[in-house]
Amino acid sequence: MKEVVQLAEGWSLGYDGSALPARVPGCVHTDLLAAGEIEDPFLGLNEHDVAWVGKRAWTYSRHIDASDTSAQRYERTDLVFEGLDTAAVITLGDRELGRTRNMHRTYRFDVTGRHGGLHVEFASAYDEAETVRAMVGDRPNVYPEPFQYIRKMACSFGWDWGPTLVTAGIWRPVRLERWSTARLAQVRPLVTVVDGEGRVEVQVEIERTGQGAGRWLYVQASVGGARVGTAVDGDRATLTLRVPDVELWWPRGYGDQPLYDLEVTLGEDADGAGERTLDWWHRRVGFRTVGIDRSADERGTGFTLVVNGVRIFARGVNWIPDDVFPSRVTHERYRTRLTQAVDANVDLVRIWGGGIYEDHAFYDICDELGLMVWQDFLFACAAYPEEQPLRGEIEAEARDNVVRLMPHPSLILWNGNNENLWGFRDWDWEPELAGDSWGEGYYLGVLPRVVAELDPTRPYTAGSPWSGSWDHHPNDPGHGTYHSWEVWNRQDYAEYRANVPRFVAEFGWQGPPAMATLRRALPGERLAPDSPGMLHHQKAEDGNGKLNRGVARHFPLPEDDFDRWHYLTQLVQARAVAAGIEHWRSHWPECAGTVVWQLNDCWPVSSWAAVDGDGRLKPLHHELRRVYADRLVTLQPGTDGPILAVVNQTAQPWQASVTLRRVQADGAVLADEVVDLTVGAYAVHRQPVPQELVPDAASGKEFLVADEGDLRAVHFPVTDKDFGYPVPDYDVTVASVPGADDGSLDVVVTAHTLVRDLLLQPDRLGPEAVCDTGLRTLLPGERAVLKVKGAKETGANAVRAALFCVEPA
């Protein structure tokens, strides 16, 4: 049997003539940080002080003993690097093993009989990028950094939410593999379902030693009680397994997520007696069918995910690397973050093309949780040269990762790039390119060919956004996928309602992180929107200007009141995203999905994320839980008054009873009506609100409330600063939860007036405190119970200081 030895220990990092302890997997920044040689670049303005790290060469070293690679027990020993960041020369015993220039590939070197000093010498990523740029020529991109000239995580060069921390290091595990005769070089399972029967076609590639050449071997595969085997005398084999009455894998909310263990063994004997197992491979698979309905209709060209024959409105979020130093992201951290997605009623996660192909742990957890994964190939916001040395690297990278990730049932779509087809058409690239290559050959040639060859069970789309062909503008809302950024950049969030795209793959609105996150990241700073640390941790172009204009369209912009500014910017973020989702969900099936930019952050920063860089939930996260719920009641502006839209994303009809009330600012009910209706499975019901219930916009003191059980929607016909809000009046009582010793509190708020968008910021009660509730609107006499865990401050005064709501202009 093959023997695997992990090489996690014994590494050192050369620095100024000395050797620092190095952690593998890891990177230069984390090793320097652990040694006390640099300050935490996430704090204050320290990012600037460590810019030098990415601009010089680094060497990782350790010793390989002769016994580690001896051919006495095994014919062959391979040195396997699962990830090297990025341009490196690897030597062992003063002999070069090879050179690498791609962070996203696995590398294997034959080191049989070799020993001595193992050195991995990393060139500066900037130097490597400039070398390639000199070979292929300049290409445009959206940031002044050379990320498209090196196959490395693009956002390590900085983004409009991320720091510029250009890493180097052995960022994924490294190991020795000792084997004899033959090994499983590649296992590629094609998993399908036909008429209720699960089928797995296992494509196997075998590598042999010199002594193993020409010998008969035996390959066997098993899954779900089915088992097949075959003798093989070459280097390839195909085995087909059939599982009758298979249990289907479903996205969360549509069914269960049964997973089946798929095992493949390679044996030395041709008769299958199993005298000697040479190698073994295992993954969990799930049986389902997946496709995209891109049919043309009277409204344009659709883009609807179809899983197991069921058409799905995708409730998605975009995912970026969860740390700018990705080797720090553990299995537990993946599970925490993806569970936060599930808690927000998300069913799709799009892995964005400026990051990485994530670790297997990410996809394993998505398999278990029923989160569909949309996987970008790693191209973002730039024109990418198609010449060598990049072209060969890109195809090899695509082949490596398609095969690595294809066993995961959660993976439902391959996407060619992020915004590059759109950029070519709209961002003045064509004149600058002057006929040079820019990536089209990858997205419309190399990548679909690789997917069709290796993973034909999944759909491929050339880019996001993409209308399906050059017959339409790449970001045409009527065709394919659409990115909505004009609203955040220049408009009020009400403009999300101006159109009904077929599938919204990106849109979002910024908000600052939690106060506890800001205090940790900016120690000692007097916080203000324009304080040095706040501006440094705001990477978007005119980000604060856009935040302020977003607030000012609805509220008086606070002056010298950071707490109020912080609440209002988080409130507008939550409202903006909710406005888009409620509008687009109410137009299912014309619109078939929304993917919010973004779920997570890679450091503490003002950004579009729902979960901030320290893992704390913003109000947006709670709003996602509401607007992405299986059942939603919303009030949408219409030409002649509000439209009541009732959304049912379950398999059962919904007998809904909606109470509509036209209410004055003082709480007086002017008119009411109960609307009983039936919403079919996976359907939306829309109807105008009766005229007698339509609030009088001219008065500035009337609004509409729709309630169905615990679901509530409100419609204010004027902006907040034009509405006659009363001074909010409410009582607060605090009770410790009996028997709980984790700082659990029940915070009871009783409203005496209209209290709109009440928010408890739990981290003000303790850095680890969380609350089960986000924004709540209460009518006079109503009561809300907010459940808090992890609080240190428990008095009513401290709790009241952590409560915010809309106030009169």
Side-chain angles (χ1 to χ4, degrees):
M1 182 64 122
K2 180 174 68 178
E3 183 178 70
V4 176
V5 179
Q6 298 294 334
L7 300 181
E9 307 295 331
W11 290 93
S12 64
L13 173 67
Y15 176 61
D16 286 353
S18 61
L20 301 178
R23 183 171 183 173
V24 172
C27 73
V28 171
H29 288 82
T30 54
D31 290 332
L32 293 174
L33 190 60
E37 297 292 341
I38 61 172
E39 297 296 323
D40 188 342
F42 286 12
L43 303 184
L45 308 183
N46 291 344
E47 176 197 351
H48 292 317
D49 297 332
V50 301
W52 61 271
V53 175
K55 296 178 180 178
R56 56 160 286 181
W58 298 92
T59 299
Y60 282 78
S61 302
R62 64 156 290 160
H63 190 77
I64 299 292
D65 292 333
S67 59
D68 292 331
T69 59
S70 171
Q72 291 182 352
R73 288 185 58 204
Y74 293 91
E75 296 174 51
R76 171 90 168 260
T77 300
D78 290 342
L79 176 63
V80 182
F81 292 94
E82 292 187 25
L84 293 171
D85 177 16
T86 292
V89 178
I90 300 99
T91 59
L92 177 58
D94 296 325
R95 293 177 59 189
E96 183 175 312
L97 295 178
R99 296 174 179 243
T100 71
R101 60 195 329 158
N102 195 323
M103 178 181 182
H104 310 299
R105 292 181 58 189
T106 296
Y107 294 95
R108 178 180 293 269
F109 304 102
D110 182 353
V111 294
T112 308
R114 298 189 183 186
H115 58 91
L118 172 62
H119 304 286
V120 185
E121 302 172 56
F122 291 99
S124 160
Y126 284 104
D127 291 346
E128 167 69 9
E130 291 306 324
T131 297
V132 173
R133 191 207 300 258
M135 298 168 64
V136 301
D138 276 334
R139 301 293 195 284
N141 72 10
V142 296
Y143 299 109
E145 295 280 339
F147 61 83
Q148 75 264 50
Y149 304 103
I150 181 170
R151 295 311 295 162
K152 174 177 172 58
M153 184 174 85
C155 63
S156 69
F157 288 94
W159 220 261
D160 56 4
W161 35 257
T164 301
L165 294 168
V166 180
T167 52
I170 305 171
W171 75 288
R172 279 186 166 155
V174 55
R175 63 184 182 270
L176 292 174
E177 290 188 5
R178 302 165 181 157
W179 54 283
S180 298
T181 306
R183 71 176 187 92
L184 294 169
Q186 184 182 102
V187 177
R188 188 164 54 88
L190 300 172
V191 183
T192 58
V193 182
V194 179
D195 296 329
E197 179 184 72
R199 297 183 187 178
V200 184
E201 181 183 291
V202 184
Q203 302 280 349
V204 177
E205 293 186 10
I206 299 168
E207 182 181 10
R208 297 170 180 260
T209 64
Q211 296 182 35
R215 297 177 63 173
W216 282 94
L217 304 173
Y218 194 79
V219 181
Q220 183 171 264
S222 64
V223 66
R227 186 182 301 272
V228 296
T230 185
V232 56
D233 64 346
D235 59 3
R236 295 177 184 269
T238 301
L239 302 94
T240 301
L241 299 122
R242 290 178 166 82
V243 183
D245 301 319
V246 73
E247 294 183 72
L248 296 180
W249 183 96
W250 288 95
R252 59 171 306 276
Y254 290 83
D256 296 329
Q257 293 79 43
L259 298 171
Y260 291 76
D261 290 297
L262 173 62
E263 296 183 358
V264 179
T265 56
L266 176 66
E268 188 172 18
D269 55 323
D271 61 6
E275 292 295 331
R276 184 181 175 211
T277 297
L278 300 173
D279 203 354
W280 178 80
W281 179 98
H282 167 261
R283 289 286 185 274
R284 294 183 304 172
V285 299
F287 293 94
R288 84 287 182 274
T289 62
V290 60
I292 303 172
D293 184 350
R294 303 185 230 216
S295 302
D297 55 32
E298 68 278 5
R299 299 179 297 273
T301 310
F303 192 93
T304 304
L305 297 174
V306 183
V307 180
N308 298 327
V310 175
R311 298 164 61 83
I312 290 175
F313 181 97
R315 295 169 279 185
V317 287
N318 282 275
W319 171 276
I320 65 171
D322 204 52
D323 196 314
V324 74
F325 307 132
S327 60
R328 297 199 298 198
V329 181
T330 62
H331 185 282
E332 292 74 22
R333 186 157 155 186
Y334 275 132
R335 185 170 293 279
T336 295
R337 203 68 70 242
L338 292 169
T339 299
Q340 288 170 328
V342 168
D343 290 344
N345 289 315
V346 165
D347 60 20
L348 180 142
V349 178
R350 175 193 171 208
I351 300 179
W352 167 75
I356 59 175
Y357 305 99
E358 297 288 346
D359 186 82
H360 270 299
F362 177 97
Y363 306 90
D364 285 339
I365 296 164
C366 289
D367 294 343
E368 296 166 10
L369 296 179
L371 287 169
M372 297 179 286
V373 176
W374 162 329
Q375 177 69 61
D376 280 13
F377 287 102
L378 300 185
F379 304 88
C381 302
Y384 284 80
E386 297 178 39
E387 291 78 23
Q388 298 292 9
L390 290 173
R391 187 179 186 87
E393 284 292 340
I394 284 165
E395 178 158 353
E397 169 192 317
R399 289 180 172 277
D400 194 342
N401 286 283
V402 168
V403 171
R404 181 173 75 90
L405 299 180
M406 61 186 289
H408 294 281
S410 56
L411 179 56
I412 55 97
L413 175 67
W414 294 105
N415 175 53
N417 75 90
N418 176 76
E419 297 190 344
N420 295 344
L421 296 161
W422 179 22
F424 178 75
R425 178 58 53 87
D426 269 6
W427 299 347
D428 297 322
W429 288 2
E430 290 184 76
E432 186 174 346
L433 286 165
D436 287 341
S437 66
W438 55 274
E440 182 183 27
Y442 298 140
Y443 320 134
L444 299 178
V446 172
L447 297 176
R449 172 172 54 81
V450 168
V451 172
E453 175 191 341
L454 298 177
D455 187 19
T457 66
R458 288 180 178 86
Y460 170 87
T461 185
S464 183
W466 180 233
S467 61
S469 77
W470 287 115
D471 294 340
H472 306 286
H473 187 282
N475 200 32
D476 186 331
H479 301 273
T481 53
Y482 178 70
H483 288 194
S484 178
W485 284 117
E486 191 69 12
V487 174
W488 155 252
N489 285 321
R490 295 174 180 84
Q491 299 171 344
D492 180 52
Y493 62 74
E495 295 304 311
Y496 284 131
R497 304 185 185 105
N499 61 18
V500 182
R502 306 312 300 268
F503 192 105
V504 186
E506 276 190 24
F507 82 106
W509 201 275
Q510 268 204 355
M515 285 295 296
T517 300
L518 289 173
R519 291 192 182 106
R520 187 194 69 81
L522 305 175
E525 180 164 308
R526 182 181 181 275
L527 295 177
D530 59 354
S531 60
M534 285 295 296
L535 291 178
H536 182 70
H537 289 248
Q538 165 61 274
K539 296 296 187 178
E541 181 181 2
D542 190 29
N544 272 17
K546 293 171 185 176
L547 282 174
N548 289 341
R549 289 190 291 276
V551 170
R553 293 183 183 108
H554 297 266
F555 304 95
L557 193 63
E559 296 182 6
D560 300 323
D561 187 345
F562 182 76
D563 286 344
R564 192 77 192 158
W565 179 88
H566 181 265
Y567 162 71
L568 290 176
T569 49
Q570 285 199 333
L571 168 63
V572 171
Q573 179 189 30
R575 279 196 193 175
V577 173
I581 293 174
E582 290 187 55
H583 166 66
W584 293 319
R585 279 195 79 184
S586 75
H587 285 277
W588 162 263
E590 182 175 356
C591 178
T594 56
V595 189
V596 176
W597 189 270
Q598 65 213 66
L599 174 68
N600 59 325
D601 270 326
C602 64
W603 79 314
V605 65
S606 292
S607 84
W608 298 264
V611 181
D612 76 18
D614 281 6
R616 295 187 175 93
L617 306 183
K618 296 185 188 179
L620 171 58
H621 183 275
H622 294 281
E623 276 297 274
L624 288 179
R625 185 174 62 190
R626 181 181 70 84
V627 298
Y628 271 166
D630 287 345
R631 291 176 171 177
L632 174 69
V633 174
T634 179
L635 293 165
Q636 294 294 308
T639 304
D640 300 318
I643 302 294
L644 171 66
V646 185
V647 181
N648 179 25
Q649 201 163 346
T650 73
Q652 303 300 321
W654 179 14
Q655 307 296 327
S657 182
V658 181
T659 300
L660 294 169
R661 285 178 284 175
R662 177 183 166 200
V663 185
Q664 278 190 323
D666 63 4
V669 177
L670 302 176
D672 62 353
E673 183 176 328
V674 176
V675 178
D676 293 318
L677 50 90
T678 301
V679 190
Y682 306 122
V684 176
H685 174 90
R686 293 170 59 92
Q687 70 177 58
V689 169
Q691 280 299 308
E692 61 272 18
L693 295 173
V694 175
D696 178 10
S699 76
K701 292 186 176 182
E702 295 182 12
F703 63 103
L704 179 64
V705 180
D707 289 313
E708 207 287 339
D710 293 333
L711 305 181
R712 167 165 287 179
V714 295
H715 168 73
F716 287 73
V718 297
T719 63
D720 296 82
K721 61 186 178 182
D722 295 325
F723 189 79
Y725 285 107
V727 175
D729 182 17
Y730 54 87
D731 293 333
V732 179
T733 60
V734 180
S736 298
V737 176
D741 57 0
D742 59 354
S744 293
L745 306 173
D746 283 346
V747 176
V748 181
V749 179
T750 304
H752 301 299
T753 64
L754 168 65
V755 179
R756 189 174 186 198
D757 286 324
L758 178 74
L759 176 68
L760 175 67
Q761 294 187 351
D763 56 292
R764 292 176 180 266
L765 304 178
E768 306 305 319
V770 295
C771 182
D772 72 335
T773 305
L775 299 164
R776 295 279 295 271
T777 292
L778 303 178
L779 304 182
E782 291 184 334
R783 189 181 77 150
V785 180
L786 317 179
K787 294 189 175 295
V788 179
K789 292 182 178 180
K792 292 184 177 179
E793 298 289 340
T794 60
N797 289 338
V799 171
R800 183 174 280 276
L803 284 165
F804 297 84
C805 67
V806 173
E807 296 178 354

